[in-house]
Coordinates of all heavy atoms in Angstrom, one line a residue:
M131 N 0.9 -1.2 0.0 CA 0.0 0.0 0.0 C 0.9 1.2 0.0 O 1.8 1.3 0.8 CB -0.9 -0.1 1.2 CG -2.0 1.0 1.3 SD -3.0 1.0 2.8 CE -3.7 -0.7 2.8
N132 N 0.7 2.2 -1.0 CA 1.6 3.3 -1.0 C 1.3 4.2 0.1 O 0.3 4.2 0.8 CB 1.5 3.9 -2.4 CG 0.2 4.6 -2.7 OD1 -0.5 5.1 -1.8 ND2 -0.3 4.6 -3.9
A133 N 2.2 5.2 0.3 CA 2.1 6.1 1.5 C 0.8 7.0 1.4 O 0.2 7.2 2.5 CB 3.3 7.0 1.6
L134 N 0.5 7.5 0.2 CA -0.7 8.3 0.1 C -1.9 7.6 0.4 O -2.8 8.1 1.1 CB -0.8 8.9 -1.4 CG -1.9 9.7 -1.7 CD1 -2.0 10.9 -0.7 CD2 -1.9 10.2 -3.1
R135 N -2.0 6.4 -0.1 CA -3.3 5.5 0.3 C -3.3 5.3 1.7 O -4.4 5.4 2.3 CB -3.2 4.3 -0.6 CG -4.5 3.5 -0.3 CD -4.6 2.3 -1.2 NE -5.8 1.6 -0.8 CZ -6.5 0.8 -1.6 NH1 -6.1 0.6 -2.8 NH2 -7.5 0.1 -1.1
R136 N -2.2 4.9 2.4 CA -2.2 4.7 3.9 C -2.7 6.0 4.6 O -3.4 5.9 5.5 CB -0.8 4.3 4.3 CG -0.7 2.8 4.3 CD 0.6 2.5 4.8 NE 1.6 3.1 3.9 CZ 2.9 2.7 3.7 NH1 3.4 1.7 4.5 NH2 3.6 3.3 2.9
A137 N -2.2 7.1 4.1 CA -2.5 8.4 4.8 C -4.0 8.7 4.6 O -4.7 9.1 5.6 CB -1.7 9.6 4.2
L138 N -4.6 8.5 3.4 CA -6.0 8.7 3.2 C -6.8 7.7 4.0 O -7.9 8.1 4.6 CB -6.3 8.5 1.7 CG -5.8 9.7 0.8 CD1 -6.1 9.2 -0.7 CD2 -6.5 10.9 1.1
L139 N -6.4 6.5 4.1 CA -7.2 5.5 4.9 C -7.1 5.9 6.3 O -8.1 5.8 7.1 CB -6.6 4.1 4.7 CG -7.3 3.0 5.4 CD1 -8.7 2.8 5.0 CD2 -6.6 1.6 5.1
A140 N -6.0 6.3 6.8 CA -5.8 6.7 8.3 C -6.7 7.9 8.6 O -7.4 8.0 9.6 CB -4.3 7.0 8.6
A141 N -6.8 8.9 7.6 CA -7.6 10.0 7.8 C -9.1 9.7 7.8 O -9.9 10.2 8.6 CB -7.3 11.1 6.7
A142 N -9.5 8.8 6.9 CA -10.8 8.3 6.9 C -11.3 7.6 8.2 O -12.3 7.9 8.8 CB -11.1 7.4 5.7
V143 N -10.4 6.8 8.6 CA -10.7 6.1 9.9 C -10.7 7.1 11.1 O -11.6 7.0 12.0 CB -9.7 4.9 10.2 CG1 -9.9 4.3 11.5 CG2 -9.9 3.8 9.1
A144 N -9.9 8.0 11.1 CA -9.8 9.0 12.1 C -11.1 9.8 12.1 O -11.6 10.1 13.2 CB -8.5 9.9 12.0
S145 N -11.5 10.2 11.0 CA -12.7 11.0 11.0 C -14.0 10.2 11.5 O -14.8 10.8 12.1 CB -13.0 11.6 9.5 OG -13.6 10.6 8.7
V146 N -14.0 8.9 11.1 CA -15.1 8.1 11.6 C -15.0 7.9 13.1 O -16.0 7.9 13.9 CB -15.2 6.8 10.8 CG1 -16.1 5.8 11.5 CG2 -15.6 7.0 9.4
A147 N -13.7 7.8 13.6 CA -13.5 7.5 15.0 C -13.5 8.7 15.8 O -13.1 8.8 17.0 CB -12.2 6.7 15.2
G148 N -13.9 9.8 15.3 CA -13.8 11.2 16.0 C -14.4 11.1 17.4 O -13.9 11.9 18.1
G149 N -15.3 10.3 17.6 CA -15.9 10.3 19.0 C -15.2 9.2 19.8 O -15.9 8.3 20.3
A150 N -13.9 9.3 20.0 CA -13.2 8.4 20.8 C -13.8 8.2 22.2 O -14.3 9.2 22.8 CB -11.8 8.8 21.0
G151 N -13.9 7.0 22.6 CA -14.5 6.7 23.9 C -16.0 6.3 23.8 O -16.5 5.9 24.8
R152 N -16.6 6.4 22.7 CA -18.0 6.0 22.5 C -18.0 4.5 22.4 O -17.1 3.8 22.0 CB -18.6 6.6 21.3 CG -18.7 8.1 21.4 CD -19.4 8.7 20.2 NE -19.3 10.2 20.2 CZ -19.6 10.9 19.2 NH1 -19.9 10.4 18.0 NH2 -19.6 12.2 19.3
A153 N -19.2 3.9 22.7 CA -19.3 2.5 22.6 C -19.4 1.9 21.2 O -19.4 0.7 21.1 CB -20.5 2.1 23.5
Q154 N -19.6 2.8 20.2 CA -19.7 2.4 18.9 C -18.4 1.9 18.3 O -17.4 2.6 18.5 CB -20.3 3.5 18.0 CG -21.7 4.0 18.6 CD -22.2 5.2 17.9 OE1 -21.4 5.9 17.3 NE2 -23.5 5.4 17.9
E155 N -18.5 0.8 17.5 CA -17.3 0.4 16.9 C -17.2 0.7 15.4 O -18.3 0.9 14.8 CB -17.1 -1.2 17.0 CG -16.9 -1.7 18.4 CD -16.7 -3.1 18.5 OE1 -16.4 -3.8 17.4 OE2 -16.9 -3.7 19.6
I156 N -16.1 0.8 14.8 CA -15.9 1.0 13.4 C -16.1 -0.3 12.6 O -15.4 -1.2 13.0 CB -14.6 1.7 13.1 CG1 -14.5 3.0 13.8 CG2 -14.4 1.9 11.6 CD1 -13.1 3.7 13.7
E157 N -16.9 -0.2 11.6 CA -17.1 -1.4 10.8 C -16.6 -1.0 9.4 O -17.0 0.1 8.9 CB -18.6 -1.7 10.8 CG -18.9 -3.0 9.9 CD -20.3 -3.3 9.9 OE1 -21.1 -2.8 10.8 OE2 -20.7 -4.2 9.2
I158 N -15.9 -1.9 8.8 CA -15.4 -1.6 7.4 C -16.3 -2.5 6.6 O -16.3 -3.8 6.7 CB -13.9 -1.9 7.2 CG1 -13.1 -1.0 8.1 CG2 -13.5 -1.8 5.7 CD1 -11.6 -1.4 8.2
I159 N -17.0 -2.0 5.6 CA -17.8 -2.7 4.7 C -17.3 -2.7 3.3 O -17.0 -1.5 2.7 CB -19.3 -2.0 4.7 CG1 -19.8 -2.0 6.2 CG2 -20.2 -2.8 3.7 CD1 -21.1 -1.2 6.2
A160 N -17.0 -3.8 2.8 CA -16.5 -4.0 1.3 C -17.6 -3.8 0.4 O -18.6 -4.5 0.6 CB -15.7 -5.3 1.2
L161 N -17.5 -3.0 -0.5 CA -18.5 -2.8 -1.6 C -18.1 -3.7 -2.8 O -16.9 -4.0 -3.1 CB -18.5 -1.4 -2.1 CG -18.9 -0.4 -1.0 CD1 -18.7 1.1 -1.5 CD2 -20.3 -0.7 -0.5
R162 N -19.1 -4.2 -3.5 CA -18.9 -5.2 -4.6 C -18.9 -4.5 -5.9 O -18.1 -4.8 -6.8 CB -19.9 -6.3 -4.5 CG -19.7 -7.1 -3.3 CD -20.8 -8.1 -3.1 NE -21.2 -8.8 -4.4 CZ -22.2 -9.6 -4.5 NH1 -23.0 -9.8 -3.4 NH2 -22.5 -10.2 -5.7
Y163 N -19.9 -3.6 -6.2 CA -20.1 -3.1 -7.5 C -20.0 -1.6 -7.6 O -19.7 -1.0 -8.6 CB -21.5 -3.6 -8.0 CG -21.6 -5.0 -8.2 CD1 -22.4 -5.7 -7.2 CD2 -21.0 -5.8 -9.2 CE1 -22.5 -7.1 -7.3 CE2 -21.1 -7.2 -9.2 CZ -21.8 -7.8 -8.3 OH -22.0 -9.2 -8.3
R164 N -20.3 -0.9 -6.6 CA -20.4 0.6 -6.6 C -19.2 1.1 -5.8 O -18.7 0.5 -4.9 CB -21.7 1.0 -6.0 CG -22.9 0.5 -6.7 CD -23.1 1.1 -8.0 NE -24.4 0.6 -8.5 CZ -24.7 0.7 -9.8 NH1 -24.0 1.4 -10.7 NH2 -25.9 0.2 -10.2
R165 N -18.8 2.3 -6.1 CA -17.8 3.0 -5.3 C -18.4 3.8 -4.2 O -19.5 4.2 -4.2 CB -17.0 3.9 -6.2 CG -16.2 3.2 -7.3 CD -15.4 4.0 -8.2 NE -14.4 4.8 -7.4 CZ -13.2 4.4 -7.0 NH1 -12.9 3.1 -7.2 NH2 -12.4 5.2 -6.3
A166 N -17.6 4.0 -3.1 CA -18.1 4.6 -1.9 C -18.6 6.1 -2.3 O -19.6 6.5 -1.8 CB -17.0 4.8 -0.9
E167 N -17.9 6.7 -3.2 CA -18.2 8.1 -3.6 C -19.7 8.1 -4.2 O -20.3 9.2 -4.1 CB -17.2 8.7 -4.6 CG -15.8 8.8 -4.1 CD -15.0 7.5 -4.0 OE1 -15.5 6.5 -4.5 OE2 -13.9 7.6 -3.5
E168 N -20.1 7.0 -4.8 CA -21.5 7.0 -5.4 C -22.6 6.8 -4.3 O -23.6 7.4 -4.3 CB -21.6 5.9 -6.4 CG -20.9 5.9 -7.6 CD -21.0 4.7 -8.5 OE1 -22.2 4.5 -8.9 OE2 -20.1 3.9 -8.6
L169 N -22.2 6.0 -3.3 CA -23.1 5.6 -2.3 C -23.2 6.5 -1.0 O -24.3 6.6 -0.4 CB -22.9 4.1 -1.8 CG -23.0 3.1 -2.9 CD1 -22.5 1.8 -2.4 CD2 -24.4 3.1 -3.4
L170 N -22.1 7.2 -0.8 CA -22.2 8.1 0.5 C -23.3 9.1 0.5 O -24.0 9.1 1.5 CB -20.8 8.8 0.6 CG -19.7 7.9 1.1 CD1 -18.3 8.6 1.1 CD2 -19.9 7.3 2.5
P171 N -23.6 9.8 -0.6 CA -24.8 10.8 -0.5 C -26.1 10.1 -0.3 O -27.0 10.6 0.3 CB -24.7 11.5 -1.9 CG -23.3 11.2 -2.4 CD -22.9 9.9 -1.8
L172 N -26.2 8.8 -0.8 CA -27.4 8.1 -0.6 C -27.6 7.5 0.9 O -28.8 7.4 1.4 CB -27.5 7.0 -1.6 CG -27.4 7.4 -3.1 CD1 -27.3 6.1 -4.0 CD2 -28.6 8.2 -3.5
L173 N -26.5 7.1 1.5 CA -26.5 6.4 2.7 C -26.5 7.4 3.9 O -27.0 7.1 5.0 CB -25.4 5.4 2.8 CG -25.5 4.3 1.9 CD1 -24.2 3.5 1.9 CD2 -26.7 3.4 2.2
R174 N -25.8 8.5 3.8 CA -25.6 9.4 4.9 C -26.9 9.8 5.7 O -26.8 9.9 6.9 CB -24.7 10.6 4.6 CG -23.2 10.3 4.6 CD -22.4 11.5 4.5 NE -21.0 11.2 4.5 CZ -20.1 11.6 3.6 NH1 -20.5 12.3 2.6 NH2 -18.8 11.2 3.7
P175 N -27.9 10.2 5.0 CA -29.2 10.5 5.7 C -29.7 9.4 6.6 O -30.5 9.7 7.5 CB -30.2 10.9 4.5 CG -29.4 11.2 3.3 CD -28.1 10.3 3.5
F176 N -29.3 8.2 6.4 CA -29.8 7.0 7.2 C -29.0 6.7 8.3 O -29.3 5.9 9.1 CB -30.0 5.9 6.3 CG -31.1 6.0 5.3 CD1 -30.7 6.4 3.9 CD2 -32.4 5.9 5.5 CE1 -31.6 6.6 2.9 CE2 -33.4 6.1 4.5 CZ -33.0 6.5 3.3
V177 N -27.8 7.4 8.5 CA -26.9 7.1 9.7 C -27.5 7.8 10.9 O -27.9 9.0 10.8 CB -25.5 7.7 9.4 CG1 -24.6 7.5 10.6 CG2 -24.9 6.9 8.2
A178 N -27.6 7.1 12.1 CA -28.2 7.6 13.2 C -27.5 8.8 13.8 O -26.2 8.8 13.6 CB -28.3 6.5 14.3
P179 N -28.1 9.7 14.5 CA -27.4 10.8 15.1 C -26.2 10.2 16.0 O -26.4 9.3 16.7 CB -28.4 11.5 15.9 CG -29.7 11.2 15.3 CD -29.5 9.8 14.7
G180 N -25.1 10.9 15.9 CA -23.9 10.4 16.7 C -23.1 9.4 15.9 O -22.0 9.1 16.3
G181 N -23.6 8.9 14.8 CA -22.8 8.0 14.0 C -22.0 8.8 12.9 O -22.2 9.9 12.7
A182 N -21.3 8.0 12.1 CA -20.5 8.6 11.1 C -20.3 7.6 10.0 O -20.2 6.4 10.2 CB -19.1 9.1 11.6
L183 N -20.3 8.1 8.7 CA -20.0 7.3 7.6 C -19.1 8.0 6.6 O -19.3 9.1 6.3 CB -21.3 6.9 6.8 CG -21.3 6.2 5.6 CD1 -20.9 4.7 5.9 CD2 -22.7 6.2 4.9
T184 N -18.1 7.3 6.2 CA -17.2 7.8 5.2 C -16.7 6.6 4.4 O -17.0 5.5 4.7 CB -16.0 8.6 5.8 OG1 -15.2 9.2 4.9 CG2 -15.1 7.7 6.7
G185 N -15.9 6.9 3.4 CA -15.5 5.8 2.5 C -14.5 6.2 1.5 O -14.3 7.4 1.3
Q186 N -13.9 5.2 0.9 CA -12.9 5.4 -0.2 C -12.9 4.2 -1.1 O -12.9 3.1 -0.6 CB -11.5 5.7 0.4 CG -10.4 5.8 -0.6 CD -9.1 5.9 0.1 OE1 -9.0 6.1 1.3 NE2 -8.1 5.7 -0.7
G187 N -12.9 4.5 -2.4 CA -12.8 3.3 -3.3 C -14.0 2.4 -3.1 O -15.2 2.7 -3.1
H188 N -13.7 1.1 -2.8 CA -14.7 0.1 -2.6 C -14.8 -0.3 -1.2 O -15.2 -1.5 -0.8 CB -14.4 -1.1 -3.5 CG -14.7 -0.8 -5.0 ND1 -15.9 -0.8 -5.5 CD2 -13.8 -0.5 -6.0 CE1 -15.8 -0.5 -6.8 NE2 -14.5 -0.3 -7.1
Q189 N -14.6 0.7 -0.2 CA -14.8 0.4 1.2 C -15.6 1.6 1.8 O -15.4 2.8 1.5 CB -13.5 0.3 1.8 CG -12.8 -0.9 1.6 CD -11.4 -1.1 2.4 OE1 -10.8 -0.1 2.6 NE2 -11.1 -2.3 2.7
L190 N -16.5 1.2 2.7 CA -17.2 2.2 3.6 C -16.7 2.0 5.0 O -16.5 0.9 5.4 CB -18.7 2.0 3.6 CG -19.4 2.3 2.3 CD1 -20.9 1.9 2.4 CD2 -19.2 3.8 1.9
F191 N -16.6 3.0 5.8 CA -16.2 3.0 7.2 C -17.4 3.6 7.9 O -17.8 4.7 7.8 CB -15.0 3.9 7.4 CG -13.8 3.5 6.5 CD1 -13.5 4.2 5.4 CD2 -13.0 2.4 6.8 CE1 -12.5 3.9 4.6 CE2 -12.0 2.0 6.0 CZ -11.7 2.7 4.8
L192 N -18.0 2.8 8.8 CA -19.2 3.1 9.5 C -19.0 3.0 11.0 O -18.5 1.9 11.5 CB -20.3 2.1 9.0 CG -21.7 2.2 9.7 CD1 -22.3 3.6 9.3 CD2 -22.6 1.1 9.2
R193 N -19.4 4.0 11.6 CA -19.4 4.0 13.1 C -20.9 4.4 13.6 O -21.3 5.6 13.3 CB -18.4 5.0 13.8 CG -18.4 4.9 15.3 CD -17.5 5.9 15.9 NE -17.5 7.3 15.4 CZ -18.4 8.2 15.6 NH1 -19.5 8.0 16.4 NH2 -18.3 9.4 15.0
T194 N -21.6 3.5 14.1 CA -22.9 3.7 14.5 C -23.4 2.5 15.4 O -22.6 1.7 15.7 CB -23.9 3.8 13.3 OG1 -25.2 4.3 13.7 CG2 -24.0 2.5 12.6
S195 N -24.6 2.6 15.9 CA -25.2 1.5 16.7 C -25.3 0.3 15.9 O -25.4 0.3 14.7 CB -26.6 1.9 17.3 OG -27.4 2.0 16.3
P196 N -25.3 -0.9 16.6 CA -25.5 -2.2 15.9 C -26.8 -2.2 15.1 O -26.9 -2.7 14.0 CB -25.5 -3.2 17.0 CG -24.7 -2.6 18.1 CD -25.0 -1.2 18.0
A197 N -27.9 -1.7 15.6 CA -29.2 -1.7 14.9 C -29.1 -0.9 13.7 O -29.6 -1.3 12.6 CB -30.3 -1.2 15.9
N198 N -28.5 0.4 13.8 CA -28.4 1.2 12.6 C -27.4 0.6 11.5 O -27.7 0.7 10.3 CB -27.9 2.6 13.0 CG -28.0 3.6 11.9 OD1 -27.0 4.3 11.7 ND2 -29.1 3.7 11.2
A199 N -26.4 -0.1 12.0 CA -25.5 -0.8 11.1 C -26.2 -1.8 10.3 O -26.0 -1.9 9.1 CB -24.3 -1.4 11.9
R200 N -27.2 -2.6 10.9 CA -27.9 -3.6 10.2 C -28.8 -2.8 9.2 O -28.9 -3.4 8.0 CB -28.8 -4.3 11.2 CG -28.1 -5.4 12.0 CD -29.1 -6.3 12.7 NE -29.8 -5.7 13.7 CZ -29.4 -5.3 14.9 NH1 -28.2 -5.7 15.3 NH2 -30.2 -4.7 15.8
E201 N -29.4 -1.7 9.5 CA -30.2 -1.0 8.5 C -29.4 -0.5 7.3 O -29.9 -0.7 6.2 CB -30.9 0.3 9.2 CG -31.9 -0.1 10.2 CD -32.4 1.2 10.9 OE1 -32.0 2.3 10.5 OE2 -33.1 1.0 11.9
I202 N -28.2 0.0 7.5 CA -27.3 0.4 6.5 C -26.9 -0.8 5.6 O -26.9 -0.6 4.3 CB -26.0 1.1 7.1 CG1 -26.4 2.4 7.9 CG2 -25.0 1.5 5.9 CD1 -27.0 3.5 7.1
R203 N -26.5 -1.9 6.3 CA -26.2 -3.1 5.4 C -27.5 -3.5 4.6 O -27.2 -4.0 3.5 CB -25.7 -4.2 6.3 CG -24.4 -4.0 6.8 CD -23.7 -5.2 7.5 NE -24.4 -5.7 8.6 CZ -24.3 -5.3 9.9 NH1 -23.5 -4.4 10.2 NH2 -25.1 -5.8 10.8
Q204 N -28.7 -3.5 5.0 CA -29.8 -3.8 4.3 C -30.0 -2.9 3.1 O -30.3 -3.3 2.0 CB -31.1 -3.8 5.2 CG -31.2 -4.9 6.1 CD -32.4 -4.8 7.0 OE1 -32.9 -3.8 7.2 NE2 -32.7 -5.9 7.6
L205 N -29.8 -1.5 3.3 CA -29.8 -0.6 2.2 C -28.8 -1.0 1.2 O -29.0 -0.9 0.0 CB -29.6 0.8 2.7 CG -30.8 1.5 3.5 CD1 -30.3 2.8 4.1 CD2 -31.9 1.8 2.4
L206 N -27.7 -1.3 1.7 CA -26.5 -1.6 0.7 C -26.8 -2.9 -0.2 O -26.4 -2.9 -1.3 CB -25.2 -1.9 1.5 CG -24.4 -0.7 1.8 CD1 -23.3 -1.0 2.8 CD2 -23.9 0.1 0.6
E207 N -27.6 -3.8 0.4 CA -28.1 -5.0 -0.4 C -28.8 -4.5 -1.6 O -28.7 -5.1 -2.7 CB -28.9 -5.9 0.4 CG -28.1 -6.7 1.4 CD -28.9 -7.6 2.2 OE1 -30.1 -7.9 1.8 OE2 -28.5 -8.1 3.3
T208 N -29.6 -3.5 -1.5 CA -30.4 -2.9 -2.6 C -29.5 -2.0 -3.5 O -29.7 -2.1 -4.8 CB -31.5 -2.0 -2.1 OG1 -32.3 -2.9 -1.2 CG2 -32.4 -1.5 -3.2
L209 N -28.6 -1.2 -2.9 CA -27.9 -0.2 -3.7 C -26.6 -0.7 -4.4 O -26.2 -0.3 -5.5 CB -27.5 1.0 -2.8 CG -28.7 1.8 -2.2 CD1 -28.2 2.8 -1.3 CD2 -29.5 2.4 -3.3
D210 N -25.9 -1.7 -3.7 CA -24.7 -2.2 -4.3 C -24.9 -3.4 -5.1 O -24.6 -4.5 -4.8 CB -23.7 -2.5 -3.1 CG -22.3 -2.8 -3.6 OD1 -22.0 -2.4 -4.7 OD2 -21.6 -3.5 -2.9
R211 N -25.5 -3.2 -6.3 CA -25.8 -4.2 -7.3 C -25.1 -3.9 -8.5 O -24.7 -2.8 -8.9 CB -27.2 -4.3 -7.5 CG -28.0 -4.7 -6.3 CD -29.3 -5.2 -6.7 NE -29.9 -5.7 -5.4 CZ -31.1 -6.3 -5.5 NH1 -31.7 -6.5 -6.6 NH2 -31.6 -6.8 -4.3
A212 N -24.8 -5.0 -9.3 CA -24.2 -4.8 -10.6 C -25.0 -3.9 -11.6 O -26.3 -4.0 -11.6 CB -24.0 -6.2 -11.3
P213 N -24.4 -3.0 -12.3 CA -25.1 -2.2 -13.2 C -25.7 -3.0 -14.3 O -25.2 -4.1 -14.7 CB -24.1 -1.2 -13.7 CG -22.7 -1.7 -13.3 CD -22.9 -2.8 -12.2
R214 N -26.9 -2.6 -14.8 CA -27.5 -3.4 -15.8 C -26.9 -3.0 -17.2 O -26.4 -1.8 -17.4 CB -29.0 -3.0 -15.9 CG -29.8 -3.5 -14.7 CD -31.2 -3.2 -15.0 NE -32.0 -3.7 -13.8 CZ -33.2 -3.5 -13.6 NH1 -34.0 -2.9 -14.5 NH2 -33.8 -4.0 -12.5
E215 N -26.8 -3.9 -18.1 CA -26.3 -3.6 -19.4 C -27.5 -3.2 -20.3 O -28.5 -3.9 -20.3 CB -25.6 -4.8 -20.0 CG -24.3 -5.1 -19.3 CD -23.5 -6.2 -20.1 OE1 -23.7 -6.4 -21.3 OE2 -22.8 -6.9 -19.3
L216 N -27.3 -2.1 -21.0 CA -28.3 -1.7 -21.9 C -27.9 -2.0 -23.3 O -26.9 -1.4 -23.8 CB -28.7 -0.2 -21.7 CG -29.6 0.4 -22.6 CD1 -31.0 -0.3 -22.4 CD2 -29.8 1.9 -22.4
L217 N -28.6 -2.8 -24.1 CA -28.3 -3.2 -25.5 C -29.4 -2.5 -26.3 O -30.6 -2.6 -26.1 CB -28.3 -4.6 -25.7 CG -27.3 -5.4 -25.0 CD1 -27.4 -6.9 -25.2 CD2 -25.9 -5.0 -25.3
I218 N -28.9 -1.8 -27.3 CA -29.8 -1.1 -28.2 C -29.7 -1.6 -29.6 O -28.6 -1.9 -30.1 CB -29.6 0.5 -28.2 CG1 -29.7 1.0 -26.8 CG2 -30.4 1.1 -29.3 CD1 -29.5 2.5 -26.7

């Protein structure tokens, strides 16, 4: 992993972990088909107050309650799907 990527990853994790001492754990969610940049604007409104969501590439970094994390993962099942091919 190059130095820039490590620095970006560390910054992303630090921003999610901003509430040090809270009972919430950071969960790293691997995306299959969509990039984090596509999904973040769609998912952020669903993150519970006090939680945080960020991401880079094909990974999301989520800090929230276990119940809210389950809701976010359910949303991802719908949103992180292979794009359809359109043949004309």
Side-chain angles (χ1 to χ4, degrees):
M131 189 182 300
N132 67 34
L134 177 59
R135 184 172 174 155
R136 271 185 295 206
L138 288 172
L139 183 58
V143 171
S145 83
V146 170
R152 294 184 187 167
Q154 300 171 338
E155 291 186 17
I156 296 174
E157 180 176 351
I158 300 172
I159 302 171
L161 300 172
R162 295 174 39 190
Y163 300 105
R164 306 286 183 191
R165 295 185 54 81
E167 295 81 6
E168 292 178 67
L169 296 176
L170 285 171
L172 301 172
L173 294 172
R174 278 194 176 126
F176 296 97
V177 176
L183 177 67
T184 189
Q186 175 185 346
H188 288 281
Q189 289 184 324
L190 292 175
F191 306 100
L192 177 64
R193 181 184 42 82
T194 191
S195 68
N198 188 230
R200 280 190 299 277
E201 292 173 8
I202 298 294
R203 284 192 302 273
Q204 286 176 342
L205 284 169
L206 278 171
E207 288 179 19
T208 302
L209 298 172
D210 188 23
R211 294 199 175 185
R214 292 183 181 179
E215 290 187 28
L216 178 62
L217 299 175
I218 298 178

